[in-house]
Amino acid sequence: MTRILFQNANLVLADSIREGSLVTEDGKIVDIDAGSHVQADEVLDCQGHHILPGVIDDQVHFREPGLTKKEDLETASRACAAGGVTAFLEMPNTKPPAITIEGVREKEKIAARKSRVNYGFYIGATPDNVSELAQASEVPGIKIFIGSSTGNLLVDQQEALERIFAETTLPICAHCEDESTVRANAERLAGTTNVADHSRIRDENAAVIATTRAVDLARRHQHRFHVLHVSTAAELPLLTHPAPYLTAEICLHHLFFNIDDYARLGSRIQMNPSIKTKADNEGLWQGLLEGTIQVLATDHAPHTLEEKSQPYPQSPSGLPAVENSLALMLDQVNAGRCTLNQVASWMSDAPARIWGMVGKGRIEIGYDADLVVVNMDESRTIRDDQQHSKCRWSPWDGETLWGWPTATFVGGHCVWNQATGFDETFRGSKLRFDHSRGGFWNTSDGIGT
């Protein structure tokens, strides 16, 4: 492996930003604040640039197997690399769904051949696969769809949920929208072709009811639980009394879009859970800044533009975001809304700690050299036709952002560079998970190595 010296960088550490140098070797960070005398095979002058820990997106839908006309692990991981994302955790609702250990292993085999970045895959819960979930290992956790799914991935019967929380030990995450509320609203608004009604069908009550139910399960069973894509400020009081087993996340679209944007963007922002109000945008930002929410993710879920252009409700829910997630947040840093240290915490350190990703999430000696170099003074405009995601569109098309990745390193290897593009020969690795370390609240000093 090459020994690389990153000189004259602004290093975004866990609690500070330090001007200095960084040395990587054999895929690890081996020195910080290295002197000019250090011997290296390659010297990179990062003058004026920042180095952050690589982004870890803990909620993506990369569509392989079964739905690869929308996305696959090669195109999605290229989008990750170009966006500064060095690791992803992918959801189980592929075709076939990953609801067995064997199904997860098959997806890992595909990723080993195709993925430019590191990877992990959740195992999906069904009403009757508790024994499979209890035996699963080497995965980030269990995903439950409490609403917003069909077939055997929908788990909304209380008895089944109680068994999953009582009889398994892996961390659990869930999509929380109350199915009966959604169905009742859909019946009331039957026949609508107005995409804005999507937020009336999947309303605040649907989210609050399901999140309340899931948090109650977690507290009673004292089972580590992560609330995915919190979409409304009304859910925040459920999370303000943290326990060693409770964490939560927000997705970018729930911070940046609201129901007023349907007139401009239509089904491009049709999501489950749905986009809510401007007041919810502000409340969710506050929850993130105050620490009620720990993680910022994307829920990257691409569809073709042809599919999205169908009249509502034939238009599917989901949008691509993994390629632009870091830049969107760097732009917010430049606008004074948050700090680089906060972005590194929300997008790297916190997901690593929640899911027990060994050696990930921080710039620290001994940690894996998963890094992203960013230029905070560069502006670029997001364009549909420049996206690396197979669907080739973005809801942020036409928006100019300040602050962009210029190079992404996975295990000390440059997988993407703004000037030279992708290294077509490199492949990422399966993430290592150690759930015995106790998750977010028990690893304040990082997940370690």
Side-chain angles (χ1 to χ4, degrees), residues 4 50 65 80 90 124 150 160 162 166 168 208 221 240 255 268 277 298 313 315 324 329 333 338 368 433:
I4 304 174
H50 289 74
C80 284
E90 210 252 359
T150 56
E162 295 281 358
T168 67
V208 171
H221 292 283
T240 53
L255 287 180
R268 283 198 177 206
T277 69
T298 65
S315 51
N324 302 304
M329 294 310 297
V333 172
C338 55
D368 294 339
F433 305 100

PDB file of all heavy atoms in Angstrom, residues 4 50 65 80 90 124 150 160 162 166 168 208 221 240 255 268 277 298 313 315 324 329 333 338 368 433:
ATOM      1  N   ILE A   4       0.873   7.906   2.026  1.00  0.00           N
ATOM      2  CA  ILE A   4       0.490   9.214   1.492  1.00  0.00           C
ATOM      3  C   ILE A   4       0.605  10.268   2.589  1.00  0.00           C
ATOM      4  O   ILE A   4       0.146  10.063   3.723  1.00  0.00           O
ATOM      5  CB  ILE A   4      -0.956   9.206   0.953  1.00  0.00           C
ATOM      6  CG1 ILE A   4      -1.122   8.118  -0.110  1.00  0.00           C
ATOM      7  CG2 ILE A   4      -1.320  10.564   0.363  1.00  0.00           C
ATOM      8  CD1 ILE A   4      -2.548   7.951  -0.600  1.00  0.00           C
ATOM      9  N   HIS A  50     -10.060  21.450   3.183  1.00  0.00           N
ATOM     10  CA  HIS A  50     -10.344  20.729   4.423  1.00  0.00           C
ATOM     11  C   HIS A  50     -10.382  19.235   4.130  1.00  0.00           C
ATOM     12  O   HIS A  50     -10.759  18.813   3.023  1.00  0.00           O
ATOM     13  CB  HIS A  50     -11.691  21.148   5.007  1.00  0.00           C
ATOM     14  CG  HIS A  50     -11.703  22.537   5.583  1.00  0.00           C
ATOM     15  ND1 HIS A  50     -11.711  23.672   4.795  1.00  0.00           N
ATOM     16  CD2 HIS A  50     -11.711  22.968   6.871  1.00  0.00           C
ATOM     17  CE1 HIS A  50     -11.727  24.743   5.575  1.00  0.00           C
ATOM     18  NE2 HIS A  50     -11.721  24.341   6.838  1.00  0.00           N
ATOM     19  N   PRO A  65     -30.496  -6.504  -5.966  1.00  0.00           N
ATOM     20  CA  PRO A  65     -31.002  -6.963  -7.254  1.00  0.00           C
ATOM     21  C   PRO A  65     -32.461  -6.588  -7.501  1.00  0.00           C
ATOM     22  O   PRO A  65     -33.157  -6.160  -6.585  1.00  0.00           O
ATOM     23  CB  PRO A  65     -30.869  -8.485  -7.138  1.00  0.00           C
ATOM     24  CG  PRO A  65     -31.112  -8.744  -5.668  1.00  0.00           C
ATOM     25  CD  PRO A  65     -30.473  -7.578  -4.960  1.00  0.00           C
ATOM     26  N   CYS A  80     -21.717   7.803  -4.844  1.00  0.00           N
ATOM     27  CA  CYS A  80     -21.183   7.959  -3.487  1.00  0.00           C
ATOM     28  C   CYS A  80     -19.784   8.561  -3.538  1.00  0.00           C
ATOM     29  O   CYS A  80     -19.491   9.559  -2.858  1.00  0.00           O
ATOM     30  CB  CYS A  80     -21.117   6.606  -2.784  1.00  0.00           C
ATOM     31  SG  CYS A  80     -22.676   5.946  -2.181  1.00  0.00           S
ATOM     32  N   GLU A  90     -27.390  -0.370   3.103  1.00  0.00           N
ATOM     33  CA  GLU A  90     -28.487  -0.450   2.146  1.00  0.00           C
ATOM     34  C   GLU A  90     -29.662  -1.230   2.717  1.00  0.00           C
ATOM     35  O   GLU A  90     -29.492  -2.202   3.448  1.00  0.00           O
ATOM     36  CB  GLU A  90     -27.985  -1.110   0.855  1.00  0.00           C
ATOM     37  CG  GLU A  90     -28.720  -0.635  -0.374  1.00  0.00           C
ATOM     38  CD  GLU A  90     -29.657  -1.675  -0.961  1.00  0.00           C
ATOM     39  OE1 GLU A  90     -29.731  -2.799  -0.406  1.00  0.00           O
ATOM     40  OE2 GLU A  90     -30.318  -1.374  -1.969  1.00  0.00           O
ATOM     41  N   GLY A 124     -34.046  -7.599   6.574  1.00  0.00           N
ATOM     42  CA  GLY A 124     -35.402  -7.098   6.720  1.00  0.00           C
ATOM     43  C   GLY A 124     -36.271  -7.995   7.571  1.00  0.00           C
ATOM     44  O   GLY A 124     -36.183  -9.228   7.511  1.00  0.00           O
ATOM     45  N   THR A 150     -45.401  -3.113   1.263  1.00  0.00           N
ATOM     46  CA  THR A 150     -46.414  -4.085   0.904  1.00  0.00           C
ATOM     47  C   THR A 150     -45.827  -5.480   1.055  1.00  0.00           C
ATOM     48  O   THR A 150     -44.631  -5.653   1.270  1.00  0.00           O
ATOM     49  CB  THR A 150     -46.873  -3.890  -0.556  1.00  0.00           C
ATOM     50  OG1 THR A 150     -45.733  -3.967  -1.413  1.00  0.00           O
ATOM     51  CG2 THR A 150     -47.550  -2.542  -0.740  1.00  0.00           C
ATOM     52  N   ALA A 160     -46.363  -9.342  16.327  1.00  0.00           N
ATOM     53  CA  ALA A 160     -45.129  -9.572  15.577  1.00  0.00           C
ATOM     54  C   ALA A 160     -44.048  -8.589  15.996  1.00  0.00           C
ATOM     55  O   ALA A 160     -42.871  -8.957  16.151  1.00  0.00           O
ATOM     56  CB  ALA A 160     -45.404  -9.460  14.078  1.00  0.00           C
ATOM     57  N   GLU A 162     -43.756  -7.067  18.907  1.00  0.00           N
ATOM     58  CA  GLU A 162     -43.294  -7.427  20.257  1.00  0.00           C
ATOM     59  C   GLU A 162     -42.276  -8.564  20.192  1.00  0.00           C
ATOM     60  O   GLU A 162     -41.249  -8.534  20.877  1.00  0.00           O
ATOM     61  CB  GLU A 162     -44.484  -7.846  21.133  1.00  0.00           C
ATOM     62  CG  GLU A 162     -45.489  -6.749  21.419  1.00  0.00           C
ATOM     63  CD  GLU A 162     -45.050  -5.788  22.512  1.00  0.00           C
ATOM     64  OE1 GLU A 162     -43.962  -5.976  23.092  1.00  0.00           O
ATOM     65  OE2 GLU A 162     -45.808  -4.829  22.782  1.00  0.00           O
ATOM     66  N   ALA A 166     -38.409  -8.413  21.376  1.00  0.00           N
ATOM     67  CA  ALA A 166     -38.109  -9.249  22.542  1.00  0.00           C
ATOM     68  C   ALA A 166     -37.114 -10.354  22.246  1.00  0.00           C
ATOM     69  O   ALA A 166     -36.329 -10.738  23.128  1.00  0.00           O
ATOM     70  CB  ALA A 166     -39.404  -9.858  23.077  1.00  0.00           C
ATOM     71  N   THR A 168     -34.800 -10.693  19.562  1.00  0.00           N
ATOM     72  CA  THR A 168     -33.584 -10.449  18.774  1.00  0.00           C
ATOM     73  C   THR A 168     -32.645  -9.532  19.558  1.00  0.00           C
ATOM     74  O   THR A 168     -33.056  -8.872  20.518  1.00  0.00           O
ATOM     75  CB  THR A 168     -33.921  -9.791  17.424  1.00  0.00           C
ATOM     76  OG1 THR A 168     -34.431  -8.472  17.640  1.00  0.00           O
ATOM     77  CG2 THR A 168     -34.949 -10.603  16.654  1.00  0.00           C
ATOM     78  N   VAL A 208     -46.415  10.459  13.778  1.00  0.00           N
ATOM     79  CA  VAL A 208     -46.363  10.520  15.239  1.00  0.00           C
ATOM     80  C   VAL A 208     -46.872   9.228  15.869  1.00  0.00           C
ATOM     81  O   VAL A 208     -46.278   8.703  16.822  1.00  0.00           O
ATOM     82  CB  VAL A 208     -47.161  11.734  15.752  1.00  0.00           C
ATOM     83  CG1 VAL A 208     -47.295  11.692  17.269  1.00  0.00           C
ATOM     84  CG2 VAL A 208     -46.490  13.033  15.321  1.00  0.00           C
ATOM     85  N   HIS A 221     -38.650  -2.844  25.947  1.00  0.00           N
ATOM     86  CA  HIS A 221     -37.760  -3.987  25.752  1.00  0.00           C
ATOM     87  C   HIS A 221     -36.287  -3.616  25.929  1.00  0.00           C
ATOM     88  O   HIS A 221     -35.427  -4.495  25.874  1.00  0.00           O
ATOM     89  CB  HIS A 221     -37.976  -4.587  24.361  1.00  0.00           C
ATOM     90  CG  HIS A 221     -39.309  -5.254  24.191  1.00  0.00           C
ATOM     91  ND1 HIS A 221     -39.583  -6.504  24.705  1.00  0.00           N
ATOM     92  CD2 HIS A 221     -40.450  -4.835  23.586  1.00  0.00           C
ATOM     93  CE1 HIS A 221     -40.833  -6.831  24.415  1.00  0.00           C
ATOM     94  NE2 HIS A 221     -41.379  -5.840  23.731  1.00  0.00           N
ATOM     95  N   THR A 240     -36.705  13.488  23.092  1.00  0.00           N
ATOM     96  CA  THR A 240     -35.957  14.454  23.900  1.00  0.00           C
ATOM     97  C   THR A 240     -35.460  13.877  25.219  1.00  0.00           C
ATOM     98  O   THR A 240     -34.710  14.531  25.926  1.00  0.00           O
ATOM     99  CB  THR A 240     -36.814  15.701  24.197  1.00  0.00           C
ATOM    100  OG1 THR A 240     -38.063  15.278  24.770  1.00  0.00           O
ATOM    101  CG2 THR A 240     -37.081  16.488  22.929  1.00  0.00           C
ATOM    102  N   LEU A 255     -35.305  18.497   5.551  1.00  0.00           N
ATOM    103  CA  LEU A 255     -34.734  19.779   5.976  1.00  0.00           C
ATOM    104  C   LEU A 255     -34.910  20.862   4.919  1.00  0.00           C
ATOM    105  O   LEU A 255     -35.142  22.026   5.240  1.00  0.00           O
ATOM    106  CB  LEU A 255     -33.232  19.634   6.265  1.00  0.00           C
ATOM    107  CG  LEU A 255     -32.796  18.894   7.513  1.00  0.00           C
ATOM    108  CD1 LEU A 255     -31.274  18.880   7.586  1.00  0.00           C
ATOM    109  CD2 LEU A 255     -33.378  19.527   8.770  1.00  0.00           C
ATOM    110  N   ARG A 268     -41.113  15.148  -7.989  1.00  0.00           N
ATOM    111  CA  ARG A 268     -39.677  15.013  -7.682  1.00  0.00           C
ATOM    112  C   ARG A 268     -39.424  14.983  -6.177  1.00  0.00           C
ATOM    113  O   ARG A 268     -38.413  14.450  -5.731  1.00  0.00           O
ATOM    114  CB  ARG A 268     -38.878  16.149  -8.315  1.00  0.00           C
ATOM    115  CG  ARG A 268     -38.641  15.986  -9.813  1.00  0.00           C
ATOM    116  CD  ARG A 268     -37.511  16.873 -10.296  1.00  0.00           C
ATOM    117  NE  ARG A 268     -37.231  16.677 -11.711  1.00  0.00           N
ATOM    118  CZ  ARG A 268     -36.056  16.896 -12.296  1.00  0.00           C
ATOM    119  NH1 ARG A 268     -35.030  17.329 -11.562  1.00  0.00           N
ATOM    120  NH2 ARG A 268     -35.882  16.702 -13.580  1.00  0.00           N
ATOM    121  N   THR A 277     -44.251  20.711   6.503  1.00  0.00           N
ATOM    122  CA  THR A 277     -44.405  22.166   6.393  1.00  0.00           C
ATOM    123  C   THR A 277     -43.081  22.895   6.616  1.00  0.00           C
ATOM    124  O   THR A 277     -42.094  22.318   7.075  1.00  0.00           O
ATOM    125  CB  THR A 277     -45.411  22.673   7.428  1.00  0.00           C
ATOM    126  OG1 THR A 277     -44.834  22.521   8.739  1.00  0.00           O
ATOM    127  CG2 THR A 277     -46.728  21.917   7.356  1.00  0.00           C
ATOM    128  N   THR A 298     -29.683  10.216   3.715  1.00  0.00           N
ATOM    129  CA  THR A 298     -30.354  10.635   2.479  1.00  0.00           C
ATOM    130  C   THR A 298     -31.645   9.881   2.179  1.00  0.00           C
ATOM    131  O   THR A 298     -32.546  10.452   1.579  1.00  0.00           O
ATOM    132  CB  THR A 298     -29.437  10.454   1.253  1.00  0.00           C
ATOM    133  OG1 THR A 298     -29.172   9.068   1.052  1.00  0.00           O
ATOM    134  CG2 THR A 298     -28.142  11.232   1.426  1.00  0.00           C
ATOM    135  N   PRO A 313     -51.636   9.248  -8.314  1.00  0.00           N
ATOM    136  CA  PRO A 313     -50.676   8.574  -7.433  1.00  0.00           C
ATOM    137  C   PRO A 313     -49.867   7.466  -8.107  1.00  0.00           C
ATOM    138  O   PRO A 313     -49.233   6.666  -7.403  1.00  0.00           O
ATOM    139  CB  PRO A 313     -51.576   8.005  -6.353  1.00  0.00           C
ATOM    140  CG  PRO A 313     -52.823   7.627  -7.093  1.00  0.00           C
ATOM    141  CD  PRO A 313     -53.001   8.682  -8.149  1.00  0.00           C
ATOM    142  N   SER A 315     -47.208   7.954  -9.745  1.00  0.00           N
ATOM    143  CA  SER A 315     -45.808   8.331  -9.554  1.00  0.00           C
ATOM    144  C   SER A 315     -45.280   7.712  -8.262  1.00  0.00           C
ATOM    145  O   SER A 315     -45.914   7.808  -7.217  1.00  0.00           O
ATOM    146  CB  SER A 315     -45.680   9.856  -9.491  1.00  0.00           C
ATOM    147  OG  SER A 315     -46.599  10.396  -8.544  1.00  0.00           O
ATOM    148  N   ASN A 324     -25.096  14.454  -3.726  1.00  0.00           N
ATOM    149  CA  ASN A 324     -25.059  15.876  -3.388  1.00  0.00           C
ATOM    150  C   ASN A 324     -25.225  16.156  -1.904  1.00  0.00           C
ATOM    151  O   ASN A 324     -25.260  17.321  -1.493  1.00  0.00           O
ATOM    152  CB  ASN A 324     -26.159  16.609  -4.171  1.00  0.00           C
ATOM    153  CG  ASN A 324     -26.002  16.437  -5.669  1.00  0.00           C
ATOM    154  OD1 ASN A 324     -24.960  16.754  -6.223  1.00  0.00           O
ATOM    155  ND2 ASN A 324     -27.023  15.907  -6.326  1.00  0.00           N
ATOM    156  N   MET A 329     -24.708  20.200   2.641  1.00  0.00           N
ATOM    157  CA  MET A 329     -24.402  20.584   4.006  1.00  0.00           C
ATOM    158  C   MET A 329     -23.198  21.521   4.079  1.00  0.00           C
ATOM    159  O   MET A 329     -23.152  22.416   4.936  1.00  0.00           O
ATOM    160  CB  MET A 329     -24.178  19.343   4.865  1.00  0.00           C
ATOM    161  CG  MET A 329     -25.435  18.497   5.028  1.00  0.00           C
ATOM    162  SD  MET A 329     -26.906  19.439   5.550  1.00  0.00           S
ATOM    163  CE  MET A 329     -26.373  20.019   7.160  1.00  0.00           C
ATOM    164  N   VAL A 333     -22.875  25.197   5.885  1.00  0.00           N
ATOM    165  CA  VAL A 333     -21.762  25.681   6.705  1.00  0.00           C
ATOM    166  C   VAL A 333     -21.353  27.071   6.229  1.00  0.00           C
ATOM    167  O   VAL A 333     -21.174  28.007   7.025  1.00  0.00           O
ATOM    168  CB  VAL A 333     -20.573  24.711   6.648  1.00  0.00           C
ATOM    169  CG1 VAL A 333     -19.349  25.321   7.345  1.00  0.00           C
ATOM    170  CG2 VAL A 333     -20.937  23.380   7.296  1.00  0.00           C
ATOM    171  N   CYS A 338     -24.567  25.893  10.310  1.00  0.00           N
ATOM    172  CA  CYS A 338     -23.970  24.860  11.146  1.00  0.00           C
ATOM    173  C   CYS A 338     -22.465  24.895  10.929  1.00  0.00           C
ATOM    174  O   CYS A 338     -21.962  25.716  10.148  1.00  0.00           O
ATOM    175  CB  CYS A 338     -24.545  23.471  10.809  1.00  0.00           C
ATOM    176  SG  CYS A 338     -24.412  23.015   9.063  1.00  0.00           S
ATOM    177  N   ASP A 368      -9.529   3.836   9.978  1.00  0.00           N
ATOM    178  CA  ASP A 368      -9.383   3.615   8.544  1.00  0.00           C
ATOM    179  C   ASP A 368      -9.270   4.948   7.811  1.00  0.00           C
ATOM    180  O   ASP A 368      -9.925   5.936   8.184  1.00  0.00           O
ATOM    181  CB  ASP A 368     -10.577   2.836   8.003  1.00  0.00           C
ATOM    182  CG  ASP A 368     -10.645   1.423   8.557  1.00  0.00           C
ATOM    183  OD1 ASP A 368      -9.603   0.927   9.022  1.00  0.00           O
ATOM    184  OD2 ASP A 368     -11.727   0.824   8.519  1.00  0.00           O
ATOM    185  N   PHE A 433     -18.828  -4.838  11.855  1.00  0.00           N
ATOM    186  CA  PHE A 433     -19.746  -4.343  12.877  1.00  0.00           C
ATOM    187  C   PHE A 433     -19.473  -5.033  14.211  1.00  0.00           C
ATOM    188  O   PHE A 433     -19.368  -6.256  14.273  1.00  0.00           O
ATOM    189  CB  PHE A 433     -21.206  -4.609  12.463  1.00  0.00           C
ATOM    190  CG  PHE A 433     -21.556  -4.045  11.110  1.00  0.00           C
ATOM    191  CD1 PHE A 433     -21.581  -4.862   9.990  1.00  0.00           C
ATOM    192  CD2 PHE A 433     -21.826  -2.696  10.954  1.00  0.00           C
ATOM    193  CE1 PHE A 433     -21.897  -4.358   8.746  1.00  0.00           C
ATOM    194  CE2 PHE A 433     -22.131  -2.168   9.711  1.00  0.00           C
ATOM    195  CZ  PHE A 433     -22.167  -3.003   8.598  1.00  0.00           C
TER     196      PHE A 433
END
